[in-house]
Amino acid sequence: MSNEIEIGRGKRARRVYTFDEIGIVPTRRTRDPELVSTSWTIDAFQFDIPVMGAPMDSVMSPATAIQLGQLGGLGVLNLEGLWTRHENPEPLLEEIARIDDEVAAVKRMRELYAAPIKPELIRDRLAEIRDAGVTVAGALSPHRTAEFTDTVVKAGVDLFVIRGNTVSAEHVSVKGREPLNLKQFIYELDVPVIVGGAATYQSALHLMRTGAAGVLVGFGGGASSTTRVTLGIRAPMASAIADVAGARTNYLDESGGRYVHVIADGGLGTSGDLVKAIACGADAVMLGAALARATDAPGRGWHWGQEAHHDDLPRGRRVAVEPLAPLAEIMNGPANIADGSANLLGALRRAMATTGYSDVKEFQRVDIVHAER
């Protein structure tokens, strides 16, 4: 049965779903939460929890990346952020948090992010994370990747993330500007690469064919993004994850058994969203606003991404987030409020136990229902 609808005589649209429109269904079996495993593995690296910290200055500093790593997850440092442009970003983060006027905040952020990226700071920040004994991950946007790859690899990064609003394997550039050849780049690199975002079956399949170890799913759907209102582009996450998971399955057959991990990135505001993302087929999730709510997050009650201070077309904003609890409590509880904002992993374990599944891969097979909002 087709899920297309007619929106007018000359146009049809595909029906897609957000997290709010779906729910998971218990089976005949339940189990104790203590018998559930939330671990996952990508390439040679295993993690106790399927959570990555988004490479955003309001979410991940070297200290919070280390802390998330010690909690069993993976913190990804923004290698184009304040930590690689300024020797001491702490006063600058404090300054951004104190600015009340939004126009003034964008203006000041543009000034701060206009400072050049310093290769030695990339080296030092990643070394700080590595010295703490956790897995080291850093992110660059596609147009900065070629410029700083050697620096990142020599600094000892374990996982390299290429992250943009959307990343394609077939980018068309203006004359004289050479686009990043993802397939060649990944082939020549000595470390596994996670790349995205992708929001459709076909775009994800193309990215998987480049040799990426993981694909990020999402397109400007996070709390700080205004892509939907500025560009009119939207990718409801439940359907996007399911589509990319379908691409993963088909690529597994096409490649003769090569498994590419699917990581949901954006629009994951509550523990319920995290649960549904994995139920739709994600192996892990990348969290931004959910972790920016930590009292020890670098954003100090504010959350923003790279798009918030774009030179000519901001597609994001600095948003206020209520500081709730230390990062450890947001991840593992105890939660003191029943809105899905804390004890994210406790909620995932409880959902898996309630529906009878023992690990993340099994839980991807859980039944899902659609309910009209």
Side-chain angles (χ1 to χ4, degrees):
M1 184 176 66
S2 173
N3 64 347
E4 283 195 347
I5 58 173
E6 186 177 279
I7 61 173
R9 287 183 179 270
K11 199 69 161 180
R12 297 185 67 82
R14 180 181 171 221
R15 179 70 171 92
V16 292
Y17 300 95
T18 66
F19 289 138
D20 288 342
E21 294 172 294
I22 65 166
I24 60 172
V25 183
T27 62
R28 62 181 176 83
R29 179 183 291 115
T30 58
R31 64 181 70 240
D32 289 337
E34 293 81 6
L35 300 177
V36 164
S37 170
T38 60
S39 66
W40 75 296
T41 301
I42 182 167
D43 201 80
F45 304 97
Q46 181 167 343
F47 303 95
D48 293 335
I49 60 175
V51 173
M52 299 173 65
M56 306 167 85
D57 283 346
S58 55
V59 180
M60 286 287 111
S61 65
T64 50
I66 291 168
Q67 189 179 4
L68 183 57
Q70 292 170 340
L71 290 169
L74 176 65
V76 184
L77 190 67
N78 176 15
L79 301 181
E80 299 175 43
L82 298 177
W83 289 93
T84 59
R85 297 175 189 265
H86 301 275
E87 292 285 347
N88 183 13
E90 292 289 0
L92 306 180
L93 290 162
E94 185 69 40
E95 179 186 349
I96 291 172
R98 288 199 309 266
I99 302 173
D100 292 329
D101 180 72
E102 192 56 34
V103 174
V106 171
K107 181 181 178 181
R108 182 57 176 145
M109 289 167 73
R110 280 176 171 164
E111 293 171 353
L112 295 175
Y113 282 92
I117 299 169
K118 300 181 175 66
E120 64 273 19
L121 288 180
I122 292 178
R123 178 198 64 204
D124 294 346
R125 305 310 187 196
L126 294 177
E128 182 181 346
I129 299 171
R130 185 177 63 251
D131 290 346
V134 300
T135 304
V136 183
L140 289 170
S141 59
H143 75 283
R144 291 284 195 174
T145 294
E147 183 180 356
F148 292 106
T149 297
D150 288 346
T151 300
V152 173
V153 173
K154 288 176 183 176
V157 73
D158 296 314
L159 288 161
F160 184 49
V161 179
I162 302 174
R163 184 179 188 256
N165 258 355
T166 186
V167 177
S168 74
E170 299 178 4
H171 181 74
V172 179
S173 290
V174 298
K175 186 176 181 180
R177 184 186 300 166
E178 186 68 25
L180 176 67
N181 185 325
L182 268 177
K183 190 169 187 177
Q184 179 181 344
F185 173 82
I186 292 173
Y187 177 77
E188 294 175 352
L189 206 61
D190 290 331
V191 298
V193 176
I194 298 170
V195 61
T200 66
Y201 170 92
Q202 203 62 47
S203 63
L205 189 59
H206 284 317
L207 290 179
M208 291 172 186
R209 288 169 176 161
T210 66
V215 172
L216 299 171
V217 184
F219 188 98
S224 65
S225 173
T226 59
T227 297
R228 180 178 174 185
V229 294
T230 55
L231 299 186
I233 299 175
R234 186 185 181 203
M237 284 295 285
S239 292
I241 295 167
D243 283 345
V244 176
R248 175 187 60 202
T249 299
N250 289 348
Y251 180 70
L252 189 67
D253 293 336
E254 174 188 307
S255 64
R258 184 173 179 273
Y259 188 91
V260 179
H261 292 81
V262 173
I263 301 154
D265 178 15
L268 297 148
T270 67
S271 57
D273 293 338
L274 186 160
V275 168
K276 293 175 188 179
I278 293 176
C280 287
D283 297 292
V285 300
M286 179 173 275
L287 300 181
L291 303 187
R293 297 187 186 113
T295 53
D296 42 359
R300 295 160 169 79
W302 293 93
H303 178 52
W304 66 91
Q306 293 288 94
E307 304 88 356
H309 47 81
H310 191 275
D311 288 343
D312 56 12
L313 184 62
R315 298 180 303 282
R317 60 193 169 206
R318 186 192 61 153
V319 296
V321 290
E322 176 100 21
L324 296 172
L327 179 61
E329 288 187 25
I330 285 181
M331 298 304 301
N332 294 316
N336 296 312
I337 186 169
D339 63 355
S341 59
N343 199 0
L344 304 181
L345 272 299
L348 175 61
R349 291 188 184 94
R350 178 71 61 177
M352 292 170 64
T354 301
T355 53
Y357 295 91
S358 61
D359 60 42
V360 169
K361 291 305 299 177
E362 280 191 1
F363 189 58
Q364 292 172 346
R365 302 199 299 265
V366 68
D367 286 341
I368 291 176
V369 293
H370 165 234
E372 294 286 351
R373 294 181 63 184

